[in-house]
Amino acid sequence: MYLDNAASTPMDLRVIEVITNHFKNTYGNASSLHSMGQVALQVMEESRQHVADLINANKEDIYFTSSGTESDNIAITGVANKCREKGNHIITTSIEHHAIKNTCLELGKQGFDITFLSVDKYGLISLDELEKSITDKTILISVMFANNEIGTVQPIKKIGEIAKKYDVIFHTDAVQGFGKIPIGVKSMNIDLLSASSHKLYGPKGVGLLYIRNNGERVGWSKIIQPIMYGGSHERKIRPSTENVPGIAGFAKAVEIAKEEMHDEAKRLTILRDRIIKSVLENIEGSYLNGHPTKRLPNNVNLGFNCVEGETILVSLNMEDIGASTGSACTSASLSPSHVLLAIGRTPEEANSSLRVTLGRFTTVEEIDYFLKILPEVIEQIRSMPPLDNWFCCGNRIRI
Ligand code: PLP
């Protein structure tokens, strides 16, 4: 049973069919002038239109990349380098994905001044704090649309209004929200947006960056300096031969999401809330991480007193259930999640979390099974002698 859809999703068979067809037939280089190249170009441009439609963007403002991480890097470093003369201040949050967090930390070493906004116990930023942080040196605000660990969805439209009021560029990392909840880049005043195909039942190795008229709203002629140099692919924002089959697969995934997002969000919200209610009612010492309602329809993040998250994962895995303790990018790390610490959890609590992320192929029967197994697993771990349950309360045994 796969309950780790925030880490990555299985590809939809309809996507695989499209990709397979393009792998076989659309092998031309989209920059070539012969017919095979032009067919590839056409497939890519149709794909661009599909993904633009999902977020109500203009087609020309979509740039294909290789991943969410790459899109985030181009957005943050690209603006920093291009707009350095206008200022060196960047505002972001303390709960961003490492693709943003580490990029900002790196820019900090290069002389940029980075503000990491705090969040409340639910993971929401304060609009007041955001507004007060803006100075005449602020060139960029980057706030994630929805958090990958706790699912909290930020008030993006209001953040966009503040960015517009102060003429600051607004980027959002929408990797987790894209195709799952409605996003309108124009109505939300978003200048830059990152998304990734593999979180949406599409292939790995494809992402996108939306760049609104390359800076028209803030009146700056161009807001991005490329971070890679090469040919003129993707209007020089992202040089390298385009992955046309992957891009077509991403577009198919988006087309499906467009049709199914509304009903799917409703279905998943019911399953999500059922899990939360059942766990909080039936497992003593359990609590929810993140906001009860302002959260992604597919995200559940729970904490359990006196139980180590990794131990829960191993036990669930033995029951054929694949879940997570948090971000897949840090699962090899023993340090507590920066997101859970930022919402006020202690390091011990932060190490007791279980993230369950549902997806298109999650069934009611699977959740029934999960809700039967989980209390047994928690009880079993809590009854272990201290050396086996190294997180055992009172003993604090660390091996
Ligand atoms: N941003 C967020 C919020 C994510 O959840 C992820 C992946 O987990 C990324 C960025 C990175 O995306 P990718 O795996 O496509 O590089």
Side-chain angles (χ1 to χ4, degrees):
M1 184 193 311
Y2 188 67
L3 295 178
D4 199 13
N5 287 275
S8 197
T9 52
M11 265 207 275
D12 192 297
L13 290 181
R14 293 167 285 183
V15 172
I16 294 179
E17 199 184 322
V18 166
I19 294 185
T20 310
N21 176 33
H22 285 300
F23 270 132
K24 280 188 202 150
N25 302 312
T26 317
Y27 46 82
N29 185 320
S31 301
S32 297
L33 291 180
H34 49 63
S35 334
M36 281 81 87
Q38 292 306 297
V39 167
L41 181 64
Q42 196 183 337
V43 167
M44 197 168 71
E45 293 313 314
E46 284 168 9
S47 302
R48 206 183 299 280
Q49 185 67 60
H50 279 306
V51 297
D53 288 348
L54 179 71
I55 52 174
N56 193 25
N58 296 337
K59 170 177 169 276
E60 310 73 53
D61 295 347
I62 300 292
Y63 298 78
F64 289 115
T65 66
S66 71
S67 64
T69 299
E70 189 183 32
S71 301
D72 283 342
N73 272 267
I74 298 173
I76 306 292
T77 307
V79 168
N81 288 339
K82 189 75 192 179
C83 306
R84 196 169 196 149
E85 277 174 18
K86 295 190 192 311
N88 70 339
H89 182 221
I90 295 173
I91 301 174
T92 186
T93 81
S94 50
I95 58 163
E96 296 295 313
H97 186 271
H98 286 90
I100 297 289
K101 184 182 172 213
N102 289 341
T103 305
C104 286
L105 288 175
E106 184 55 36
L107 288 172
K109 288 185 209 155
Q110 295 170 23
F112 285 89
D113 179 16
I114 316 288
T115 299
F116 290 96
L117 297 174
S118 63
V119 290
D120 67 11
K121 65 177 178 177
Y122 297 123
L124 288 167
I125 65 157
S126 147
L127 296 172
D128 226 31
E129 190 193 346
L130 168 65
E131 199 160 353
K132 283 186 186 132
S133 307
I134 298 172
T135 70
D136 56 358
K137 294 266 176 275
T138 309
I139 50 173
L140 176 68
I141 296 169
S142 180
V143 177
M144 70 198 315
F145 209 101
N147 185 267
N148 47 304
E149 292 189 37
I150 56 174
T152 302
V153 179
Q154 298 294 337
I156 292 295
K157 193 167 191 297
K158 292 193 175 130
I159 298 168
E161 280 163 15
I162 293 173
K164 188 175 177 191
K165 183 170 155 193
Y166 291 92
D167 268 354
V168 177
I169 299 165
F170 175 35
H171 168 255
T172 185
D173 174 344
V175 166
Q176 292 291 341
F178 188 81
K180 298 198 190 98
I181 46 178
I183 301 178
V185 282
K186 291 176 188 164
S187 62
M188 294 175 168
N189 288 305
I190 296 167
D191 297 305
L192 299 162
L193 175 145
S194 310
S196 179
S197 150
H198 76 99
K199 308 287 185 184
L200 198 65
Y201 315 95
K204 292 175 179 58
V206 189
L208 71 80
L209 178 62
Y210 162 79
I211 309 176
R212 185 176 192 160
N213 281 348
N214 210 350
E216 185 207 59
R217 185 183 68 71
V218 284
W220 304 352
S221 61
K222 281 199 187 325
I223 56 172
I224 296 280
Q225 172 139 341
I227 59 170
M228 269 164 66
Y229 293 89
S232 52
H233 315 87
E234 298 300 291
R235 284 144 291 152
K236 296 192 179 172
I237 291 288
R238 202 280 177 174
S240 176
T241 306
E242 298 90 348
N243 170 7
V244 175
I247 288 170
F250 186 14
K252 182 66 188 176
V254 165
E255 221 184 307
I256 298 168
K258 233 182 294 174
E259 271 167 35
E260 301 182 358
M261 182 167 67
H262 184 70
D263 291 347
E264 182 66 352
K266 267 197 201 158
R267 186 183 82 88
L268 293 180
T269 302
I270 292 169
L271 286 181
R272 175 197 78 185
D273 291 345
R274 191 176 145 219
I275 298 174
I276 295 172
K277 185 166 183 287
S278 168
V279 169
L280 297 185
E281 278 177 8
N282 297 317
I283 304 183
E284 215 179 293
S286 61
Y287 50 87
L288 179 68
N289 289 316
H291 199 280
T293 54
K294 290 176 189 162
R295 69 187 304 135
L296 287 169
N298 72 329
N299 175 292
V300 178
N301 190 314
L302 297 155
F304 301 92
N305 292 341
C306 307
V307 185
E308 212 268 319
E310 299 277 319
T311 315
I312 308 176
L313 281 199
V314 173
S315 303
L316 287 178
N317 198 42
M318 279 166 22
E319 302 290 342
D320 286 334
I321 299 170
S324 157
T325 53
S327 165
C329 305
T330 47
S331 52
S333 148
L334 284 178
S335 41
S337 144
H338 67 284
V339 175
L340 295 177
L341 294 180
I343 63 170
R345 297 290 178 208
T346 62
E348 208 162 82
E349 286 169 339
N351 277 329
S352 310
S353 73
L354 174 70
R355 181 184 73 176
V356 171
T357 45
L358 317 173
R360 182 174 294 161
F361 307 110
T362 309
T363 63
V364 174
E365 292 71 32
E366 285 179 325
I367 298 309
D368 289 342
Y369 179 68
F370 171 72
L371 289 175
K372 175 184 166 298
I373 293 293
L374 185 66
E376 295 171 11
V377 161
I378 301 290
E379 196 186 321
Q380 193 194 11
I381 298 170
R382 282 184 176 151
S383 65
M384 281 175 184
L387 266 176
D388 294 331
N389 175 17
W390 65 272
F391 212 65
C392 187
C393 273
N395 291 303
R396 307 274 184 276
I397 294 168
R398 309 229 169 233
I399 301 169

